[in-house]
Amino acid sequence: MIIETILSSINKKGEVNFAPMGVHIPDHAINLSKVKEICLYLYSGSHTFDNLQTTLEGVINLTNDVMAFVETALFSTSLPTAPSRLVHPPRMAGAKTIWEFSVTDFHASVEPAKVLGKIKYYEELAGFSGLCRAQGAVLEAAIAATRWRWMTRSKIEESWAQWRETVERTGGSREQEAFSRVCDFFAQNGIDMGDAK
């Protein structure tokens, strides 16, 4: 099973990087506090790849704030942090649940690299309740935006109208603002999704 998270890591200088990350956990891991190991797939050249290969530590932050996903994925925004307990990278301030982990295996000979980690510390700060339909639609739109160079506009447009309708019908102001930021990203890259039907 893959859960959508934001991973915080640091480089040699201690500079923090936040990146949306699909984290593989066992299918039977219904109780997040029981997760002991995680698996990540990372592409070489990314900050997360370099940071985890160098420092061998990170924090997996679970949040339903889709704006945080959009800002870190598309605009490289730095988020507010809070100190971690057992690892050097800080956690994301406001995260609902966190897993602090250490890297146990880093298979860099394949692309994407397969990275295995062991959970060192778990904390449920506010209870992660998952994502609503609008939040899921924003995430799908943001993921498509990160791949816009490799996807045709028609491929993105196949789902765009449905994502927009879902956000407008079932989302609150935060989800609508986040979806608007995805539109801003496309516009900055010369693609007007406002006229996508």
Side-chain angles (χ1 to χ4, degrees), residues 61-105:
N61 304 276
L62 281 71
T63 179
N64 55 8
D65 182 359
V66 289
M67 185 64 81
F69 284 94
V70 170
E71 290 294 335
T72 55
L74 304 180
F75 301 100
S76 299
T77 302
S78 184
L79 302 174
T81 64
S84 293
R85 296 290 180 92
L86 300 180
V87 298
H88 290 96
R91 66 179 63 177
M92 170 187 158
K96 302 290 187 183
T97 298
I98 59 98
W99 287 318
E100 298 177 9
F101 72 95
S102 59
V103 173
T104 55
D105 285 295

Side-chain angles (χ1 to χ4, degrees), residues 5-194:
T5 70
I6 294 179
L7 192 150
S8 49
S9 61
I10 56 173
N11 61 18
K12 288 180 180 178
K13 298 178 181 178
E15 298 166 330
V16 183
N17 179 70
F18 289 99
M21 185 70 51
V23 177
H24 296 249
I25 63 173
D27 289 344
H28 61 274
I30 296 176
N31 186 336
L32 297 179
S33 67
K34 303 297 185 186
V35 174
K36 301 302 179 190
E37 296 178 328
I38 52 97
C39 178
L40 308 169
Y41 289 92
L42 305 174
Y43 286 94
S44 58
S46 70
H47 292 301
T48 303
F49 179 102
D50 294 340
N51 291 352
L52 291 184
Q53 190 175 44
T54 301
T55 68
L56 302 177
E57 292 183 329
V59 181
I60 295 166
N61 304 276
L62 281 71
T63 179
N64 55 8
D65 182 359
V66 289
M67 185 64 81
F69 284 94
V70 170
E71 290 294 335
T72 55
L74 304 180
F75 301 100
S76 299
T77 302
S78 184
L79 302 174
T81 64
S84 293
R85 296 290 180 92
L86 300 180
V87 298
H88 290 96
R91 66 179 63 177
M92 170 187 158
K96 302 290 187 183
T97 298
I98 59 98
W99 287 318
E100 298 177 9
F101 72 95
S102 59
V103 173
T104 55
D105 285 295
F106 199 112
H107 302 282
S109 60
V110 295
E111 183 78 10
K114 183 178 181 179
V115 180
L116 303 177
K118 179 180 180 180
I119 304 302
K120 297 178 71 174
Y121 179 77
Y122 165 88
E123 186 173 353
E124 186 176 309
L125 302 155
F128 179 67
S129 58
L131 302 173
C132 71
R133 288 182 62 205
Q135 291 164 337
V138 172
L139 282 184
E140 291 298 331
I143 290 168
T146 65
R147 300 172 181 169
W148 72 273
R149 288 184 177 89
W150 300 281
M151 296 175 69
T152 63
R153 178 173 171 157
S154 62
K155 184 70 174 171
I156 296 171
E157 285 180 353
E158 285 178 17
S159 300
W160 190 261
Q162 183 178 352
W163 293 333
R164 181 169 53 197
E165 180 183 359
T166 299
V167 171
E168 289 174 353
R169 282 193 306 106
T170 68
S173 59
R174 188 72 168 167
E175 289 73 34
Q176 292 173 18
E177 182 183 0
F179 194 77
S180 179
R181 288 290 285 155
V182 178
C183 291
D184 292 345
F185 174 83
F186 276 115
Q188 290 175 10
N189 288 282
I191 303 170
D192 183 8
M193 294 308 294

